[in-house]
DNA sequence: CCTGATTGGTGTTTAATATACACCAATCAG
DNA sequence: CTGATTGGTGTATATTAAACACCAATCAGG
């Protein structure tokens, strides 16, 4: 019984989709590739996994190496392994995504990429490999999580907000994700009654107008269980 | 610039979680392993991917080889790649799941497994590898899809029903997935108004009591879009 | 063929949740 | 001091969900 396998193996990479809301638009972080194939093309940041690291750790490492980004909570999203998706060789890629508050990330081109930049989903460049497909899938998954999950808007919306946020900030994020304007009073009533949110005591300042009270999401707002 | 990579590569497998409702319980299909490691232990069906097949095709092939199961709609679920999860070697596995109507599958132990059997989720055997973790994750995902998705019960419930079903059958499935009894009249009202369901004209027969009208889900009942 | 057992099928009333809608308050810039 | 800008609040109406009971159709068995 052979314990060491000699069968051919695909390579494994990770790809990481970082979404954020900037300038009131949903945007994604892309890098410009340095090496072949697709040198010079825009792509989702990512790269080969090492033998001794878990998938998510490889993704975090690549994110650091290519975009100078650290400290983002990654959620695994989907794995792509169609033969031919990489022109060099059989490559299976595990895609992760992260939803982050705006301003929390300063993306700079790091060693493995020649540039790193935010793109609104409405205005994307051509992408390397099957990255356009991956991005489209991620966008749809996000839409499902956001719009379908809790009848109106799911808790993923909070991932786009900083830990402490004003109700107006929250409303803005929910509006962008849902693509429609919401009534201020109804939104506040709904947010406070649905999501167990507490006032922090802090206020916004230096805004040029009346300051807003700050709130935070009390931890522990998750899915229910299935019997059996 | 090297186009052929000599770096070490993990092996890639697929694992397939087949859920069905049998005897009014949510059950999962497991196989008993023939080979090492974990020979004789129960496990989620699955196996190594080939170089020329897509991930889902490899999963379908393994399902056929190990459990004699064909023709199930697989949905990719999650990928597991923690170093050490397979005692032999670095193995990354892509997990799929399928939700199928009861009676639609006759599982028989096929060539690569010594047995294939349904287990209620309440009464699972010890599992090989990290399969208990994978199964727990799948169960939770299913719970989220079912319970959270549409405020009460999502369209995945229909995956457990045959193409034509009576309203009582539907109610039974929804009750099992939600773990609570539902009011017959309210359920029917809700089902018919929410899901665009049409009468087929057919009836159940040979049930020993009044026959029930048959319905089907009109195709096209999906998620909304995200702007931008 | 008559009876009982079993599941199929149907509306209305009440409670809960969601929606529509307008004004005063606090800060900052000039 | 004034105007511009965003923060903050309540009520009335419409929609959606929940509770609740009886007759109908088939089949099995006497």
């Amino acid at each position: 019984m052979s314990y060491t396998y000699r069968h051919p193996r695909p390579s494994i990479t990770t790809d990481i989709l970082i979404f954020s809301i900037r300038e009131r638009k949903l945007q994604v972080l892309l890098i410009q590739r340095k090496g072949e194939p697709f040198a010079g093309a825009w792509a989702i940041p990512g790269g080969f996994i090492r033998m001794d690291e878990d998938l998510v750790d490889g993704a975090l490492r690549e994110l650091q190496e290519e975009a100078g980004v650290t400290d983002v909570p990654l959620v695994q999203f989907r794995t792509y392994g169609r033969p031919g998706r990489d022109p060099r060789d059989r490559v299976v890629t595990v895609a992760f995504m992260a939803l982050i508050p705006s301003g929390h990330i300063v993306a700079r081109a790091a060693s493995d990429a020649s540039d790193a930049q935010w793109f609104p989903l409405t205005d994307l460049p051509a992408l390397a490999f099957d990255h356009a497909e991956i991005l489209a899938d991620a966008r749809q998954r996000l839409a499902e999580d956001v719009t379908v999950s809790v009848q109106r808007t799911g808790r993923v919306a909070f991932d786009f907000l900083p830990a402490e946020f004003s109700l107006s900030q929250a409303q803005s994020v929910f509006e962008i994700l849902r693509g429609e304007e919401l009534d201020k009073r109804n939104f506040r009533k709904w947010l406070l009654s649905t999501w167990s949110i507490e006032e922090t005591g802090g206020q916004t300042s230096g805004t040029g107008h009346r300051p807003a009270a700050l709130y935070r999401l009390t931890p522990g707002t998750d899915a229910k269980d299935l019997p059996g």
Side-chain angles (χ1 to χ4, degrees), chain A:
Chain A
M1 202 142 315
S2 138
Y3 272 55
T4 310
Y5 296 96
R6 306 225 161 265
H7 55 239
R9 300 167 181 193
S11 296
I12 298 190
T13 61
T14 54
D15 283 310
I16 309 100
L17 295 137
I18 307 281
F19 289 106
S20 188
I21 292 176
R22 327 197 122 214
E23 297 156 3
R24 287 191 65 88
K25 280 178 291 197
L26 186 57
Q27 309 214 13
V28 64
L29 183 63
L30 300 176
I31 58 136
Q32 197 165 26
R33 289 179 59 82
K34 239 178 182 167
E36 292 293 338
F38 295 101
W42 291 94
I44 301 166
F48 291 99
I49 192 80
R50 294 185 182 156
M51 286 300 274
D52 57 353
E53 70 188 351
D54 200 355
L55 299 168
V56 68
D57 297 327
L60 289 166
R61 178 179 49 73
E62 290 290 345
L63 207 48
Q64 156 69 34
E65 290 175 6
E66 294 189 335
V69 168
T70 55
D71 248 10
V72 291
L74 297 184
V75 173
Q76 204 192 109
F77 158 58
R78 205 186 150 159
T79 300
Y80 295 82
R82 178 174 51 77
R85 59 171 294 279
D86 189 309
R88 301 167 288 194
D89 199 357
R90 180 80 193 275
V91 177
V92 171
T93 194
V94 183
F96 290 82
M97 64 192 274
L99 315 178
I100 59 166
S102 60
H104 264 221
I105 277 192
V106 185
R108 52 180 189 279
S111 51
D112 291 8
S114 62
D115 199 2
Q117 222 178 272
W118 291 96
F119 289 87
L121 292 196
T122 44
D123 191 21
L124 293 169
L127 294 179
F129 304 104
D130 54 356
H131 286 187
E133 179 193 348
I134 297 176
L135 180 50
D137 288 352
R139 177 185 165 290
Q140 170 154 3
R141 168 76 150 266
L142 185 57
E144 282 166 18
D145 285 356
V146 166
T147 307
V148 175
S149 267
V150 187
Q151 179 77 352
R152 55 183 58 62
T153 314
R155 67 151 298 151
V156 286
F158 293 100
D159 294 338
F160 287 104
L161 285 166
E164 302 201 354
F165 52 86
S166 73
L167 298 184
S168 305
Q169 281 179 287
Q171 182 171 347
S172 168
V173 166
F174 278 75
E175 283 175 340
I176 291 164
L177 293 176
R178 294 185 53 192
E180 61 182 336
E181 302 210 328
L182 303 172
D183 178 86
K184 190 173 25 162
R185 280 173 293 188
N186 291 340
F187 175 77
R188 288 156 117 92
K189 257 185 301 183
W190 171 80
L191 194 82
L192 295 171
S193 67
T194 311
W195 289 105
S196 92
I197 277 170
E198 56 194 16
E199 233 176 314
T200 67
Q203 284 198 333
T204 56
S205 63
T207 52
H209 52 76
R210 175 172 174 178
L214 292 177
Y215 293 78
R216 82 182 124 236
L217 180 63
T218 311
T221 316
D222 255 34
K224 288 153 206 163
D225 254 21
L226 187 68

